[in-house]
Amino acid sequence: MYLSRGGYEVAVLDGFQKRRWEAQIGVQPLAPIHPLQERVRIWKRETGKNIRVFVGDLAHERFTARVFEQWKPDAIIHYGEQPSAPFSMMGNEKAVETQVNNVAGNLNVLFAMKRSVPTAHLIKLGTMGEYGTPNIDIEEGWLDIEHKGRKDRVLMPKKPGSFYHLSKVHDSHNCEFVCRVWNLRITDLNQGVVYGIETDETQIHEELNTSFHYDEVFGTALNRFCVQAAAGLPITPYGSGGQKRGFLNIRDTIQCVELALSNPPLSGEFRVFNQFTEVFSIRELASTVAAAAKEIGVTAKVEHIINPRIEEEEHYYNPVLTHLPSLGLKPHKLSDTLVKSMLSYIKRHSDRIDPDTIAPRVKWEGYV
Amino acid sequence: MYLSRGGYEVAVLDGFQKRRWEAQIGVQPLAPIHPLQERVRIWKRETGKNIRVFVGDLAHERFTARVFEQWKPDAIIHYGEQPSAPFSMMGNEKAVETQVNNVAGNLNVLFAMKRSVPTAHLIKLGTMGEYGTPNIDIEEGWLDIEHKGRKDRVLMPKKPGSFYHLSKVHDSHNCEFVCRVWNLRITDLNQGVVYGIETDETQIHEELNTSFHYDEVFGTALNRFCVQAAAGLPITPYGSGGQKRGFLNIRDTIQCVELALSNPPLSGEFRVFNQFTEVFSIRELASTVAAAAKEIGVTAKVEHIINPRIEEEEHYYNPVLTHLPSLGLKPHKLSDTLVKSMLSYIKRHSDRIDPDTIAPRVKWEGYV
């Protein structure tokens, strides 16, 4: 919607796999998501802009090939992957489904580019979780290394924390390869954890809302904490809460994509951006939410629970962030005001909160 | 056969995918490979040893799960993957098939281990090709790194040269993860290019021969050069032939697997061995074969052809090799005698050489 409003001609490809995955595990976004075709009609009515819809599965080679052949995009923004770490840890079938879906879909995109639009720019959604929590600074994708007196520029080593995060590591390696051998141009956006609900475009019409998840599988930490506070439940960081991650506002996500889009890499360049605006520990987030809730008269207790994940809870974390700021990124930093506006949005939809979907049942150790 | 003779109780899992892939591209091994069940009967008759056969596809979750549940292996030697770089570069469908087959099959093995034999030892076939040709020494899987004054031990960065090699990189990351979170024990054998035909076991009966490929898709360089010489064709290194790789004799492959098997890693350890015995450039191999051929009265011309691959042809290459020698590896180095014995084996089967399958038609640039 943002790009459409900004004058880009936009097409959307969707196979609606996530609808099925949500149904399988029995969760839904806080506010209903209307059919895509309906939202596109509303968008047209409200703004006069067309968005083209292609319905199909990126993992189906011929579908992807045909859309690229027909539409001939100048740029591709690839968000079409299974996005949840806990989902990928729900056992053998879901681990395989996650990696096959993500890797095959992305390979089909790379081949369709090579075939129909070899000079187009692929903006690929990666994740900061690809890196894990190394004891060295997290460079942006590439690392200048000196070893035994010799030098090279290598991919930043990865130690991801779930089969989902691994699927993105696989994608990154596949992307680097096709830049090297086919001269494709790719920006891999290693994004932090996104929070927030509203953008300028979702505010145009209430049926244009984003998919806001608060459940243990598709919900991210800050969103989940806000729903817990709004529903009068304790805020439950996993373990000590010393886990640090990069975070960013949903508005900045869009800003970052546009910055990448209007500053494409060279032909043959595999460019990686770390994409976040601030680093917080999970326990800092929990206190921030509790404090903001208090200001609007809601008392929320912070209750640490056993960590269902296997991850370091106290660790060094220093990701580098230079590329996006140098292109002009202006962060919307996390503020009490933002959290309070999230709480008030959630309260408006509080009849749809299912508290049974929040507590973590997916355990990194347990499912096989 | 080697392990069975050595007193191990052995079961083989095979889905015979490679038979189908060979048929698809119209190639076959130099000497016919008899049905597995027949070879197992011959083995029993010749040695008195049983080898159990499970027929099925590792990429089918329930097949793999059931075999592990029933057989409960102490160790798993996982060679069950699509093994050819050119095959994986034959276009979209084959790239996806290679990565899906290899990644899903390996994930199913990891889950089956976790479920049924969590203390077993997985010996996973990787490849030296995972590393590519970096400008620094190639450490064995892990790299001790110092960066901006801080230290860590990270996975050796990878820059592989085909969708096949990438599939092995994906497997390695998945393996490292399950060691870390599930305490599995895995040895990743990053093997060089294997040459040679015979082992002590194949010599017991002629129908126990290995699958010897000389075609552009499944054949490796030295094997291909020997067949070219034996058939009176020019030996055709790709490009300048300055590409350096690690090589090893088929007998040493078996020796390395047994060394890994009898020296398992600790629980939770992801151990990587570089597995080769010598480094040669492709043009050195070509001269070695030409020289050996000359000694048996065959004149073979070396004719450099346009490189169908995209790879560096003149580069630094210094892979570290310490783990396997420290466990006792005694290399069978490449000798004129070995090459001459290969040439004489090939001459015995020369009626089956199809010269049309040798010239490279799979181009890294061309297929989409």
Side-chain angles (χ1 to χ4, degrees), chain A residues 80-339:
Chain A
E81 301 206 332
Q82 195 295 96
S84 160
F87 185 90
S88 77
M89 297 302 292
M90 290 179 75
N92 195 337
E93 189 202 335
K94 289 195 167 29
V96 171
E97 185 175 4
T98 297
Q99 294 205 353
V100 167
N101 178 75
N102 294 2
V103 169
N106 186 57
L107 281 175
N108 289 339
V109 167
L110 301 178
F111 274 94
M113 285 178 69
K114 158 84 166 133
R115 212 184 278 118
S116 301
V117 287
T119 60
H121 175 198
L122 173 62
I123 298 173
K124 168 70 175 62
L125 188 71
T127 162
M128 287 298 291
E130 291 183 37
Y131 302 115
T133 54
N135 196 43
I136 56 173
D137 288 3
I138 298 176
E139 301 296 333
E140 303 197 54
W142 293 93
L143 178 69
D144 289 310
I145 196 172
E146 188 170 336
H147 179 60
K148 297 180 178 169
R150 298 185 61 87
K151 290 179 182 182
D152 204 357
R153 183 168 176 259
V154 298
L155 287 177
M156 183 71 200
K158 306 286 174 74
K159 224 181 197 180
S162 76
F163 290 113
Y164 152 72
H165 292 102
L166 281 156
S167 77
K168 299 279 192 174
V169 172
H170 306 340
D171 287 342
S172 295
H173 281 96
N174 285 339
C175 285
E176 187 275 332
F177 174 67
V178 297
C179 291
R180 183 156 36 95
V181 302
W182 292 343
N183 283 313
L184 299 189
R185 58 179 93 214
I186 301 182
T187 304
D188 203 2
L189 296 177
N190 281 348
Q191 182 166 262
V193 186
V194 178
Y195 60 82
I197 304 178
E198 288 174 304
T199 69
D200 292 347
E201 291 70 36
T202 65
Q203 289 173 324
I204 291 174
H205 189 287
E206 66 165 354
E207 290 196 16
L208 297 176
N209 60 306
T210 58
S211 178
F212 178 86
H213 280 281
Y214 60 93
D215 59 85
E216 58 145 340
V217 173
F218 293 111
T220 55
L222 188 85
N223 291 358
R224 218 163 51 225
F225 294 164
C226 286
V227 169
Q228 289 179 316
L233 299 165
I235 295 170
T236 54
Y238 297 166
S240 78
Q243 305 94 310
K244 287 184 188 162
R245 298 289 185 271
F247 289 83
L248 78 169
N249 190 302
I250 188 171
R251 291 173 188 269
D252 291 339
T253 269
I254 295 168
Q255 208 192 139
C256 292
V257 167
E258 198 190 17
L259 288 171
L261 188 59
S262 43
N263 299 280
L266 299 173
S267 166
E269 188 185 353
F270 176 65
R271 184 175 68 171
V272 185
F273 291 167
N274 291 346
Q275 177 172 316
F276 64 94
T277 58
E278 295 170 280
V279 169
F280 299 112
S281 70
I282 297 297
R283 66 181 161 240
E284 286 176 284
L285 281 191
S287 332
T288 302
V289 174
K294 198 167 179 188
E295 287 184 37
I296 58 166
V298 174
T299 308
K301 225 177 23 183
V302 175
E303 222 176 79
H304 291 259
I305 60 174
I306 290 172
N307 194 342
R309 305 188 178 201
I310 297 171
E311 60 187 5
E312 290 189 64
E313 295 184 3
E314 306 293 336
H315 57 87
Y316 182 74
Y317 198 68
N318 190 30
V320 168
L321 179 67
T322 59
H323 292 323
L324 283 164
S326 80
L327 296 177
L329 174 64
K330 299 272 173 292
H332 298 80
K333 296 216 171 181
L334 182 61
S335 65
D336 274 11
T337 320
L338 186 272
V339 175

Side-chain angles (χ1 to χ4, degrees), chain B residues 51 59 105 107 128 147 195 225 280 351:
Chain B
I51 291 179
L107 281 174
M128 287 298 292
H147 179 60
Y195 60 83
F225 294 165
F280 298 111
D351 55 311

Side-chain angles (χ1 to χ4, degrees), chain A residues 59 61 65 88-96 99-100 103-104 107-108 110-112 114-115 133-139 142-148 150-163 166-167 169-171 173-174 176-178 180-183 310 316 320 364-368, chain B residues 59 61 65 88-96 99-100 103-104 107-108 110-112 114-115 133-139 142-148 150-163 166-167 169-171 173-174 176-178 180-183 310 316 320 364-368:
Chain A
E61 178 186 332
S88 77
M89 297 302 292
M90 290 179 75
N92 195 337
E93 189 202 335
K94 289 195 167 29
V96 171
Q99 294 205 353
V100 167
V103 169
L107 281 175
N108 289 339
L110 301 178
F111 274 94
K114 158 84 166 133
R115 212 184 278 118
T133 54
N135 196 43
I136 56 173
D137 288 3
I138 298 176
E139 301 296 333
W142 293 93
L143 178 69
D144 289 310
I145 196 172
E146 188 170 336
H147 179 60
K148 297 180 178 169
R150 298 185 61 87
K151 290 179 182 182
D152 204 357
R153 183 168 176 259
V154 298
L155 287 177
M156 183 71 200
K158 306 286 174 74
K159 224 181 197 180
S162 76
F163 290 113
L166 281 156
S167 77
V169 172
H170 306 340
D171 287 342
H173 281 96
N174 285 339
E176 187 275 332
F177 174 67
V178 297
R180 183 156 36 95
V181 302
W182 292 343
N183 283 313
I310 297 171
Y316 182 74
V320 168
W364 263 227
E365 178 51 44
Y367 269 90
V368 289
Chain B
E61 177 185 333
S88 77
M89 297 303 291
M90 290 180 75
N92 196 335
E93 188 203 335
K94 290 197 167 29
V96 171
Q99 294 204 354
V100 167
V103 170
L107 281 174
N108 288 340
L110 301 177
F111 275 92
K114 159 85 166 133
R115 211 183 279 116
T133 53
N135 196 41
I136 56 173
D137 288 1
I138 298 176
E139 301 295 332
W142 292 94
L143 178 69
D144 289 310
I145 197 172
E146 187 168 337
H147 179 60
K148 296 180 178 170
R150 298 186 60 86
K151 289 179 183 184
D152 204 356
R153 182 168 176 259
V154 299
L155 286 178
M156 182 72 200
K158 305 285 173 79
K159 224 182 198 179
S162 76
F163 290 114
L166 281 156
S167 76
V169 172
H170 307 341
D171 287 342
H173 281 97
N174 285 339
E176 187 276 332
F177 174 67
V178 298
R180 183 157 36 95
V181 303
W182 291 344
N183 283 313
I310 297 172
Y316 182 74
V320 168
W364 262 227
E365 179 51 45
Y367 270 91
V368 288

